[in-house]
Amino acid sequence: LKKVCEASQSVKDWEKHLPDLVLGYNSGVQQSTGYAPYTLVYGVPPVLPAARRERLSQVVSVEDVEAAADDLVQRAAVMSRNAVMAAGNLLIAQRRDQLTYARKRDGTYLP
């Protein structure tokens, strides 16, 4: 968390980085168990894009604290970018649904 805050130069906004860090950590295979914490809790692997899945399937070794911190910083950055893209996609879907609903209400909708 400290490294992410320092990298983004926003130490006062540390709580904004937590969701991305937690997702990155929970999606990564842990050296001690051989499983991702998400998999152990939910019984299924996390659903991630193929390119991200390969990156996050690498084992996080906590023996090298610096390497683990750098890895989590990279994972947080990936998750942050994905969240922005997902939010944009959600806005597009909401607008599409809004237009479809409006056409159904006025009788111009043809399936």
Side-chain angles (χ1 to χ4, degrees):
L1 182 59
K2 180 180 176 183
K3 284 202 170 245
V4 172
C5 290
E6 289 172 353
S8 66
Q9 299 176 347
S10 59
V11 177
K12 293 183 180 180
D13 297 332
W14 63 269
E15 69 276 0
K16 292 180 181 176
H17 302 290
L18 281 178
D20 297 327
L21 283 170
V22 170
L23 181 59
Y25 180 83
N26 286 338
S27 299
V29 176
Q30 304 301 306
Q31 185 178 23
S32 58
T33 63
Y35 292 95
Y38 183 96
T39 303
L40 294 175
V41 171
Y42 297 106
V44 295
V47 178
L48 301 168
R52 304 297 179 232
R53 189 177 319 119
E54 182 180 323
R55 171 73 179 100
L56 294 174
S57 66
Q58 298 171 357
V59 175
V60 176
S61 173
V62 292
E63 292 178 14
D64 183 1
V65 176
E66 286 296 315
D70 289 338
D71 186 52
L72 290 176
V73 167
Q74 291 174 3
R75 290 175 187 227
V78 167
M79 296 305 164
S80 183
R81 283 192 305 271
N82 288 350
V84 170
M85 289 188 298
N89 291 342
L90 183 58
L91 288 174
I92 292 168
Q94 287 173 340
R95 180 66 179 152
R96 183 185 60 235
D97 292 345
Q98 182 182 31
L99 293 173
T100 301
Y101 178 76
R103 285 190 309 226
K104 285 181 179 180
R105 294 284 289 164
D106 69 12
T108 61
Y109 177 75
L110 297 172

